[in-house]
Amino acid sequence: MRHVTVALAVARKDLVSEWRSRELVPALAQFLVLALVIANFGFSINSDNAPAIAPGVLWLALVFAALVGFGRAFAAEKEQATLEAMILTSAPPAAIFAGKAIAATLLLVLCEAVLLPALTLFFGTPLTLVLAAAVLLATVGMAALGCLFAAMVAQLRAREVLLPLLTLPLWIPFIVAGGQAVQVMMGAEGTFDQALRLLIAFDILFVVLTSLAARFVLDE
Amino acid sequence: MTRYLLAAAGAVALMLVAAAVIFLFTPTDALQGPVQRIFYLHVSSAIAAFASFLVVAVGGAIYLWRESMVADRLARSAALTGVVLTTVTLVMGMMWAKPIWGAFWTWDARLTSTLVLWIIYAGYLLVRRLATPGRQAARFAAVVGIFGFVDVPIVYFSVTWWRTQHPGPVIATDALPPEMLVAFLFTMACTLVLAGVMIAVRYRIEALQDAQPQGHFVLQPAGRPTA
């Protein structure tokens, strides 16, 4: 029970601090829209090729925004030495980690609430419930892994370089399954229910594993 | 010291014998010609690489559980050996793929997951380099090693349901003629010995480095007077 209380308190702290400064979400949302603009110039989007290109653009933009968001969640704490302060309290490290991850997930979901409508607006691809579900399910597992490694690299040198290097290969299962679901939604052959089930399975696996590993990463 | 030299010389000699077996004893493949001889070392080094990464994951888990320095040094040594062997697998695979498939690379499940494996454990080596030596480096690297080992089968299976070009297992399905099977098993044994010797030599180097007094080396730029 105490774990839940601590986790919610940490998450609330992060969300309040983001609400007061309003730095991360507007910047990331702007970045996501900019990524769509770049994709337009890179691919010369028209109504014929948009359904084939949009899934790739969606995941690329999302993955890089997520890296910045998760990296920021721990880098900011580290810069102000509040990470050490939190670890010094009697709060269980796994709960602190869970709280940070919950807040980072919610902030990224806010950015997705900008990205998905923008994708529909600019690329003309459908915005369906399954598409949103696939992106949200992938976000949960990606946030668990991303926050674990963000907590790790915050304590290392060259953290900006190392975070994508460690995180991206571990995110591939989510991109494979999520990418499959989104491609099907945008007109590719196949079914999405297997992909969604896989996403749920990966979410459970990595949320459990990262919670177990959080103790070893946050205990320095 | 001489023990390690002897072991290394023995491993190299074994690999040379394996090369002789591959080129002189085994029959030439009817369909692919001499290129097929890549198979023996390509698959052997892949298996040795997987074995090395298993050592990394198990060593990491034991370190997290018991804080055993032996397990940590073993994981460190095996990671380096595994990355080298994966590089061998990838490069030889590309050399084989070009004449047979017509391209160095396809986004096949086996190829993709092997590349991901390489990237994950290259990241492991970077974490070792960038973390503060000692407890922090050992813990962080152990976490990376374990997650990497969990991730690879997932990547492998999640991609395998959609497309494959790489051939499936030939040993378990009994698809190899006996001479090829014998040559393959011999090469695999030699490669595993080589991997073991590489891990042992690296372990010795890591142990010697751990015994050195800890300190950060700062190179003095030339021409600048010391303060």
Side-chain angles (χ1 to χ4, degrees):
Chain A
M1 212 52 234
R2 194 162 149 268
H3 278 73
V4 179
T5 320
V6 170
L8 290 180
V10 172
R12 189 164 159 270
K13 166 196 84 72
D14 272 17
L15 292 174
V16 167
S17 126
E18 172 60 24
W19 174 250
R20 289 192 184 144
S21 64
R22 285 189 281 269
E23 309 177 320
L24 189 69
V25 173
L28 281 185
Q30 205 165 340
F31 163 78
L32 286 168
V33 174
L34 265 173
L36 299 187
V37 174
I38 305 279
N40 168 52
F41 290 120
F43 293 112
S44 355
I45 306 286
N46 55 43
S47 55
D48 291 335
N49 64 13
I53 293 172
V57 173
L58 185 153
W59 289 106
L60 270 180
L62 189 60
V63 154
F64 286 107
L67 279 176
V68 175
F70 300 147
R72 209 50 226 151
F74 282 91
E77 297 267 11
K78 185 70 187 171
E79 278 158 19
Q80 293 155 14
T82 42
L83 191 59
E84 284 88 344
M86 275 202 292
I87 295 168
L88 277 180
T89 64
S90 63
I96 297 176
F97 169 75
K100 301 284 303 175
I102 290 169
T105 312
L106 290 177
L107 293 180
L108 194 66
V109 168
L110 278 182
C111 300
E112 286 162 359
V114 175
L115 172 67
L116 295 184
L119 198 75
T120 304
L121 185 67
F122 292 132
F123 284 57
T125 49
L127 174 53
T128 60
L129 210 59
V130 174
L131 185 107
V135 170
L136 285 178
L137 284 174
T139 308
V140 173
M142 282 162 61
L145 278 169
C147 286
L148 182 76
F149 287 98
M152 184 185 287
V153 298
Q155 303 170 55
L156 305 180
R157 287 172 283 142
R159 62 174 81 118
E160 296 83 2
V161 192
L162 202 55
L163 182 60
L165 215 76
L166 291 177
T167 317
L168 287 178
L170 297 179
W171 278 355
I172 288 176
F174 295 97
I175 314 288
V176 172
Q180 166 85 357
V182 172
Q183 281 169 17
V184 169
M185 274 341 284
M186 295 191 178
E189 302 254 316
T191 54
F192 52 78
D193 48 341
Q194 187 204 18
L196 289 188
R197 272 199 300 262
L198 262 181
L199 279 176
I200 295 172
F202 292 157
D203 280 346
I204 296 171
L205 174 72
F206 281 110
V207 166
V208 170
L209 274 181
T210 48
S211 316
L212 290 176
R215 185 157 69 88
F216 300 109
V217 172
L218 276 182
D219 196 24
E220 285 299 313
Chain B
M1 195 58 234
T2 42
R3 268 192 311 154
Y4 289 95
L5 270 179
L6 275 177
V12 170
L14 268 180
M15 289 313 287
L16 289 175
V17 175
V21 168
I22 291 170
F23 283 103
L24 304 176
F25 171 70
T26 60
T28 307
D29 188 86
L31 282 176
Q32 302 189 0
V35 191
Q36 187 267 343
R37 291 184 207 275
I38 288 179
F39 158 81
Y40 301 101
L41 191 57
H42 171 70
V43 179
S44 301
S45 55
I47 291 171
F50 291 149
S52 307
F53 292 137
L54 183 65
V55 172
V56 178
V58 172
I62 292 177
Y63 177 81
L64 290 183
W65 178 36
R66 284 275 169 92
E67 300 244 324
S68 143
M69 280 311 285
V70 175
D72 177 53
R73 275 198 289 265
L74 209 56
R76 257 186 267 173
S77 325
L80 190 61
T81 308
V83 169
V84 170
L85 287 166
T86 313
T87 312
V88 171
T89 308
L90 283 171
V91 171
M92 298 199 76
M94 287 184 202
M95 280 159 40
W96 194 4
K98 183 65 181 166
I100 302 300
W101 295 345
F104 287 112
W105 190 264
T106 66
W107 289 104
D108 163 270
R110 178 97 28 123
L111 276 67
T112 311
S113 52
T114 311
L115 182 64
V116 170
L117 189 73
W118 189 92
I119 295 172
I120 288 176
Y121 285 95
Y124 176 100
L125 295 178
L126 264 179
V127 169
R128 293 236 77 123
R129 175 165 299 189
L130 291 171
T132 319
R135 246 169 75 96
Q136 192 195 49
R139 282 186 161 211
F140 287 2
V143 170
V144 175
I146 293 167
F147 274 86
F149 204 74
V150 172
D151 203 54
V152 170
I154 295 178
V155 174
Y156 181 73
F157 286 115
S158 60
V159 192
T160 203
W161 293 326
W162 290 302
R163 44 193 160 178
T164 32
Q165 176 154 24
H166 191 287
V170 288
I171 310 305
T173 51
D174 210 18
L176 279 186
E179 293 98 334
M180 285 189 175
L181 184 64
V182 167
F184 167 70
L185 291 176
F186 181 69
T187 313
M188 192 180 78
C190 295
T191 315
L192 285 172
V193 169
L194 178 73
V197 170
M198 280 163 79
I199 293 176
V201 170
R202 189 70 213 172
Y203 183 94
R204 177 77 182 141
I205 296 172
E206 299 285 350
L208 287 174
Q209 274 176 353
D210 285 352
Q212 295 236 329
Q214 293 285 327
H216 292 282
F217 296 96
V218 180
L219 287 176
Q220 186 68 36
R224 191 185 291 178
T226 340

